[in-house]
Amino acid sequence: MSTHLRHDLNLLLTTLLTGKLPRSLSWADTLALIGHIGEVQPHGHDESVFIVRSQRAFFKHPHTHDLGVEEVARLRKFLRDAGPELPASAPSQPCRMVVVIDHHGAHIYKDVDGKVPESEHTGRPYDPFGFHHHLIHKKEANYKGERVPEDKTFYEEIAQDLLPANEIVLIGHGTGKSSAVDHLAEYLKANHHDISRHIIAIETADLSALTLPEIEAIAKQHMIAVV
């Protein structure tokens, strides 16, 4: 058992123990996590035994590359019963980002760490997200009209900004080939699986009338504040 987890496994363990339950979970990531905090033993041709402290559980190898939501829930119960302590280096709160994208550009918002600076004495209610503090920047696509840009650099630049995120909400308008948000999601899935697996929601909205409080409200429907 390793006493030091990789950063991504730190985040995964924290999410499984205290965060929003993932809809699916990579089997490879599951094996890596259990192998670091405990032991994985093969059992037959389609099953593995997970051992963490005094707890043992059998998990069938998924037919796809991911565990389904029911197995993820069972994994959470197993980990909580095993009682592994959160690593000291585990972050107190995930890095959460929101992308609002249309055919003309993308606004990328990042939350703060949930702590009000000591010098900031305001009557503002505690907000563990605070997306309004971090408008990262706006990227403009170099084209005109209503078609999704063919220039992949537009989406690649967004992908690079999303590298630190472990919870991502995408907001756009329209669906299918004409939708920039769907195009971004497909691009990330095809070219950046490590980023794509952190997308927890894709929402559609009228971006022409969308306000910042509404953006925050959409994000908070899907994100969990870990405090």
Side-chain angles (χ1 to χ4, degrees):
M1 174 178 174
S2 172
T3 56
H4 298 284
L5 288 177
R6 300 195 318 252
H7 178 66
D8 59 328
L9 296 182
N10 257 333
L11 296 174
L12 177 56
L13 178 58
T14 304
T15 298
L16 285 171
L17 289 175
T18 64
K20 183 182 179 68
L21 189 69
R23 295 188 183 92
S24 63
L25 178 62
S26 162
W27 178 244
D29 289 345
T30 303
L31 294 179
L33 174 62
I34 300 302
H36 275 73
I37 65 173
E39 187 178 353
V40 177
Q41 296 179 352
H43 185 266
H45 69 282
D46 65 345
E47 198 170 36
S48 291
V49 183
F50 292 176
I51 304 171
V52 178
R53 294 190 175 180
S54 62
Q55 295 296 314
R56 296 168 59 94
F58 293 87
F59 281 82
K60 291 280 188 182
H61 302 168
H63 296 300
T64 64
H65 296 295
D66 298 326
L67 289 176
V69 63
E70 291 184 1
E71 286 295 272
V72 175
R74 195 163 73 89
L75 179 63
R76 165 177 280 184
K77 183 180 185 305
F78 166 74
L79 289 172
R80 287 178 171 175
D81 289 345
E85 296 179 0
L86 288 177
S89 59
S92 60
Q93 179 168 308
C95 175
R96 295 170 291 222
M97 292 190 181
V98 181
V99 181
V100 181
I101 183 171
D102 62 14
H103 294 305
H104 303 288
H107 286 79
I108 302 176
Y109 301 84
K110 179 181 177 182
D111 68 343
V112 295
D113 64 2
K115 297 178 180 178
V116 179
E118 292 181 3
S119 61
E120 185 177 344
H121 299 289
T122 69
R124 190 176 64 226
Y126 170 72
D127 181 357
F129 294 90
F131 292 107
H132 53 287
H133 292 301
H134 289 265
L135 171 61
I136 305 301
H137 53 73
K138 182 180 180 183
K139 292 187 176 72
E140 294 291 348
N142 297 318
Y143 78 107
K144 296 180 180 180
E146 292 302 321
R147 294 187 60 189
V148 174
E150 297 296 334
D151 183 4
K152 301 299 183 184
T153 60
F154 175 63
Y155 298 102
E156 182 59 31
E157 289 174 352
I158 297 172
Q160 293 304 310
D161 289 332
L162 294 176
L163 282 172
N166 48 50
E167 288 188 6
I168 301 169
V169 171
L170 306 181
I171 304 175
H173 70 271
T175 58
K177 293 182 179 180
S178 64
S179 168
V181 71
D182 284 353
H183 197 102
L184 173 60
E186 291 172 3
Y187 180 84
L188 293 175
K189 184 177 181 180
N191 299 279
H192 294 279
H193 176 71
D194 55 329
I195 300 174
S196 176
R197 67 190 183 92
H198 293 304
I199 297 173
I200 60 175
I202 300 175
E203 293 283 350
T204 58
D206 179 4
L207 302 190
S208 65
L210 194 64
T211 66
L212 187 49
E214 289 171 337
I215 292 172
E216 292 186 356
I218 292 172
K220 292 175 185 179
Q221 289 175 4
H222 303 282
M223 295 176 172
I224 297 296
V226 181
V227 297

